[in-house]
Amino acid sequence: MLFDLDLIKNVYGQFTQKVDMAKASLNRPLTLTEKILYAHLHETTKLNNFKRGADYVDFAPDRVAMQDATAQMALLQFMQAGKSKVAVPSTVHADHLIQAHIGADKDLQEALNKNNEVYNFLESVSNKYGIGFWKPGAGIIHQVVLENYAFPGGMMIGTDSHTVNAGGLGMIAIGVGGADAVDVMAGMAWELKMPKLIGVKLTGKLSGWTAPKDIILKVAGILTVKGGTGAVVEYFGEGAQSISCTGKGTICNMGAEIGATTSTFGYDNSMRRYLAATGREEIVKLADQIAPYLTGDPEVYANPEQYFDQVIEINLSELEPHLNGPFTPDLATPISKMKEEAEKNGWPVKIEVGLIGSCTNSSYEDISRAASLAQQAVDKKLKAKAMYTITPGSEQVRYTIERDGFINTFEKIGGNVFANACGPCIGQWHRDGAEKGEKNTIVHSFNRNFAKRADGNPNTYAFVGSPELVTALAIAGDLTFNPITDSLTNTEGKQVKLDPPTGWELPPQGFDVEDAGYLAPADDGSNVDVVVKPDSQRLQLLSPFAAWDGKNITGARLLIKAKGKCTTDHISMAGPWLRFRGHLDNISNNCLIGAVNAFNNETNKVKNQLNGEFNEVPATQRAYKAAGIPTIVVGDHNYGEGSSREHAAMEPRHLGVRAVLVKSFARIHETNLKKQGMLALTFDNEADYDKIQEDDIFNFVNLDSFAPGKPIDIEVLHSNNSKDIIRTNHTYNSQQIEWFKAGSALNLIKAERK
């Protein structure tokens, strides 16, 4: 099935003219990123030389994608917008609520039994408002988007941070919160701060054990988890063109782990091959007509330092396989150094489980290369010493790899194929024994490895690598094994070496599938009823947040001062909590339960200033709310790193938190806070973080004159009767201040509609 052909024809029909106008206005060559952004300016936005990292710009994305966990809240909000149909092509993908435990068939049936109410809601809302619905088992949103919707030069947003995966097909694809998706689905402009540009020049060519995954693992080590914040990463060079389209997707996917707005590659032959293989030859014909416009200008790539804010160069011929971790995706270790690092840091070296797949690495190429190693293990009489699991990215990939014998090969070494869903990558893994909390090591080809993320055990050391390396390590069962140099002892006692993996970029016999899992919406959804039971524990209709009273916040208390890394997983955990993603009050019971309290170094234990007792964070906040006392949350650097989940902003808002004051924010989370009517503030002097005490009282001095670019001062009263005036900064523009005044961006949409 070929989707959106008319849309793509329309985009390409205007693309060259818009890019030419931008080049004339800016009077210089353009990067690919700039071409796509300027070609997607909203009709109300005047062409200008926008300042990177400073100017807010309104855009008109081509489409919206939502996964089931975030779609619930996004669509509950959209239902309040008063629209009869979405304004742009939109899809919902049921991939997050399937828990991996026994195997694909049983796990999928269990998910259908447990989540039937939510699936029915999502399917009926999609049917009513003209949204395509991909059923449970159809696949992971990002792989399905790459196979069906992504196209060179397009622009899309999605309610998942790994929406950026579509950059592998030359898109500008950006992860957002549900409120942003509502704006676009309602036909409104979508706002983004003009991103800075990071150019990554790839020379040489991958070979042997090195895979596309190693490129982004290397980049993560260079830029760290916050080095890409506010920037688009654009890959170019001969090395970029030598990488498969799905390999490019893997690299773009993990751009989320460096905080990048998105990542992208220029249109090339690998994209042509992938589009053709997935039944989109018509798009190839259209793209070829404007091919020079679907990549950066030659002058840019010849002199990248003149056009990018930062340039990184990586020689793929010299790149080593990497393992990143534990507990953070930017701790990059070349495989040749792993033994030394493991010994130095006391990492458990026995590997308990190797897991491949997920949205990051579940392409046919990934699976075929991993299968080549599994077949070697069979041929060389090796047994996998670790458990081994495979998560296909889509039903199309799963069906094709089964047809081609790869699943049978994996089963020969004890591999277990999970459902086509996110599974362990997002904590949807019922790992038997994890509840014991034992110290152990796993290796996987996923994208994130924060503490407790995969299995809920804070003592699981998770390392990220390519599917090939993960497979080799699962066979060896040893974190220090280097397949390039080391041998293994087989069942006959002989020393054998694994040869470098081999595979196919695309299936030689073509892709195949019986039922891809897509349900088209009704042409007219006016007669479709969407039912949410009043007593449901899974779904809850939303009530508007209260508007600002125009006064300074006074007498506020500290809910928690978070210490160190505080990701969206810490603020709103996934795993078992995913079942409440459509019920704001229920899921708010996980609000900030993973954040480390700076005053006692414990999680989910804060002091209630009303009675002096220590209690769980949500319970303490509910007590403040019941007493009518405003509160604030204080945090460290890159607060809100990780997922796009807007629940991390909606939960504290729902419970009565008024402001979040931190050293720095991750991009998506800061926007989510703004959209929900919260104050997102940063310390003018980061050292003031240390002045915040557990029993402080906070009085806002000049919030009543809230204005763009104007700092907000807070009087902090300490228990010893001393006080500090702390200056805070913000990035609100005039429009965003109106969101705050109205109580939320959605409130403003509704008010304007009336």
Side-chain angles (χ1 to χ4, degrees), residues 18-81:
K18 290 181 176 180
V19 170
D20 286 342
M21 290 174 61
K23 289 178 70 172
S25 177
L26 275 60
N27 193 30
R28 61 172 173 80
L30 298 182
T31 63
L32 169 64
T33 301
E34 291 171 314
K35 290 180 181 181
I36 300 176
L37 290 176
Y38 278 100
H40 285 83
L41 293 178
H42 192 265
E43 60 184 6
T44 59
T45 302
K46 185 179 179 181
L47 179 60
N48 198 352
N49 187 5
F50 299 108
K51 186 176 180 182
R52 299 174 190 170
D55 291 343
Y56 283 95
V57 184
D58 285 344
F59 294 99
D62 299 314
R63 65 173 305 106
V64 174
M66 297 164 280
Q67 40 95 335
D68 51 355
T70 51
Q72 295 172 63
M73 199 59 69
L75 293 176
L76 285 165
Q77 292 177 84
F78 182 76
M79 288 167 63
Q80 297 186 52

Side-chain angles (χ1 to χ4, degrees), residues 667-718:
R667 176 191 62 84
I668 300 176
H669 188 63
E670 181 182 22
T671 300
N672 285 344
L673 289 169
K674 292 177 178 181
K675 286 278 187 176
Q676 300 302 334
M678 293 274 278
L679 279 174
L681 307 173
T682 55
F683 290 100
D684 183 64
N685 179 3
E686 291 182 4
D688 286 344
Y689 170 91
D690 298 321
K691 295 179 180 178
I692 305 298
Q693 300 302 310
E694 193 170 32
D695 48 6
D696 286 342
I697 295 175
F698 303 85
N699 297 315
F700 285 69
V701 176
N702 58 342
L703 179 61
D704 54 356
S705 58
F706 194 11
K710 182 179 179 181
I712 293 175
D713 294 329
I714 304 175
E715 179 188 63
V716 183
L717 303 178
H718 306 299

Side-chain angles (χ1 to χ4, degrees), residues 36 236 308 430 434-435 470 482 733:
I36 300 176
F236 63 95
F308 291 98
H430 182 162
E435 70 281 355
V470 168
N482 181 351
N733 59 24

Side-chain angles (χ1 to χ4, degrees), residues 248-304:
K248 291 177 170 72
T250 289
I251 295 166
C252 292
N253 183 297
M254 272 195 72
E257 275 54 72
I258 56 173
T261 301
T262 192
S263 304
T264 195
F265 286 80
Y267 180 55
D268 62 12
N269 285 328
S270 71
M271 295 183 192
R272 291 183 177 94
R273 292 191 295 270
Y274 186 74
L275 286 167
T278 50
R280 292 176 283 175
E281 296 91 345
E282 286 296 314
I283 298 176
V284 175
K285 294 176 184 176
L286 294 171
D288 281 348
Q289 293 174 18
I290 61 167
Y293 288 81
L294 298 176
T295 188
D297 286 328
E299 303 94 322
V300 170
Y301 296 155
N303 299 285

